[in-house]
Amino acid sequence: MQHSCHLAFVFLRSPYGRSLAADGLDMLLATAAFDQTVTVAFLGPGLFNLLPGDSTAAGVKNQTKGFASLPLFDVANVLVDERELARYGLATDQFVLPVTSLSLASLREQLHAADHIHSF
Amino acid sequence: MSSLTYSLLVMSAPFASAAPYSAEAFCRAVIDRGHSVYRVFFYHDGAYNALATSVPPQDAASLPQGWRDLRDQHGVHLTVCIASALKRGVVNAEESKRYDLEAVTLDSHFEIAGLGDWIEAAQVSDRIITFTR
């Protein structure tokens, strides 16, 4: 690895309907494991990745447990849009990891500070 | 105007979506304008772009040939994530033998590798563009 990079990961889609969020999580964990600086945002239906997973239909691997381990990988900058919490009927104490709730403008500023943005 | 290095993340399959066609056309446009494409990383359903065994309909442009030309003519690395590839049956000779499978399905212009190759591409590229449906 030549130099350190600041990468942002944005989760837009809920889990299970499509497996993109699960693959996004794998990429996020690999990036954190390679010691890169990471910012993560959960937007819109992406917020549902933060809820504790209940048992899934037989044959479908759990897709959300891994999000709870982000702090173990030193991923602390986890952002959500404060207006969307009300819109989706969610509260941050329901989530499996600590998040920072921001205005969309502030959230956008943080994403722009990254070298690259990946969205899933 | 200075030359930029691009890398692309392709996460959709041919025919299911226009995204990989846009990705291939984008590569050619970037190169035509004097920039370079370092790596195209095929992740999630994008792994299907690497199939040697796909038979496009006769009246459709051949996206597989487009990717092969980018590799042969411009040295663009075409890299498929091993996790995405295996679960979709996109296997080279080594993986096919390892899992005792009946076929080798990976096109020879593509290489199978891990997420580390994508993280490296993100570090060395000026621009990352993602193509998803």
Side-chain angles (χ1 to χ4, degrees):
Chain A
M1 299 281 133
Q2 277 117 307
H3 66 272
S4 184
C5 217
H6 179 186
L7 295 159
F9 289 79
V10 180
F11 290 88
L12 300 168
R13 297 174 179 82
S14 52
Y16 298 110
R18 295 183 59 194
S19 57
L20 261 172
D23 278 355
L25 174 61
D26 282 349
M27 188 183 285
L28 164 56
L29 291 174
T31 303
F34 276 101
D35 275 328
Q36 307 299 298
T37 307
V38 167
T39 294
V40 190
F42 293 87
L43 300 182
L47 285 167
F48 292 112
N49 287 288
L50 290 169
L51 296 177
D54 38 9
S55 58
T56 58
V60 180
K61 193 175 154 191
N62 181 287
Q63 292 181 8
T64 62
K65 259 194 243 160
F67 286 102
S69 71
L70 288 181
L72 293 173
F73 286 80
D74 287 325
V75 177
N77 202 22
V78 181
L79 313 174
V80 302
D81 176 346
E82 61 198 6
R83 295 170 315 164
E84 289 190 326
L85 293 176
R87 195 180 294 153
Y88 284 88
L90 297 170
T92 57
D93 57 14
Q94 294 174 275
F95 296 154
V96 298
L97 79 166
V99 305
T100 305
S101 173
L102 298 171
S103 69
L104 186 60
S106 302
L107 199 156
R108 202 183 275 141
E109 251 177 58
Q110 292 219 27
L111 292 179
H112 283 189
D115 294 307
H116 300 301
I117 300 174
H118 293 107
S119 51
F120 293 93
Chain B
M1 185 197 63
S2 61
S3 169
L4 297 173
T5 303
Y6 285 75
S7 286
L8 271 54
L9 180 64
V10 175
M11 299 202 283
S12 304
F15 305 108
S17 157
Y21 301 86
S22 295
E24 189 261 340
F26 185 86
C27 273
R28 285 187 281 110
V30 156
I31 290 166
D32 283 348
R33 279 162 174 74
H35 304 291
S36 65
V37 180
Y38 172 62
R39 169 165 279 134
V40 181
F41 192 75
F42 297 89
Y43 194 47
H44 191 69
D45 284 343
Y48 290 119
N49 283 274
L51 280 173
T53 48
S54 150
V55 183
Q58 293 218 326
D59 56 354
S62 173
L63 181 56
Q65 190 57 49
W67 292 124
R68 286 182 212 122
D69 289 346
L70 281 168
R71 175 75 191 138
D72 289 335
Q73 295 164 14
H74 301 289
V76 176
H77 295 289
L78 305 176
T79 308
V80 193
C81 174
I82 185 167
S84 301
L86 286 176
K87 61 177 77 143
R88 291 169 178 82
V90 178
V91 290
N92 57 15
E94 189 185 327
E95 301 305 324
S96 183
K97 186 170 176 205
R98 190 200 314 277
Y99 293 100
D100 202 21
L101 302 172
E102 289 183 18
V104 174
T105 53
L106 179 78
D107 182 288
S108 61
H109 294 72
F110 295 74
E111 57 182 356
I112 288 191
L115 278 168
D117 273 30
W118 173 245
I119 295 167
E120 186 242 354
Q123 287 184 312
V124 304
S125 303
D126 298 303
R127 300 280 185 274
I128 297 295
I129 315 286
T130 303
F131 294 83
T132 315
R133 68 175 166 89

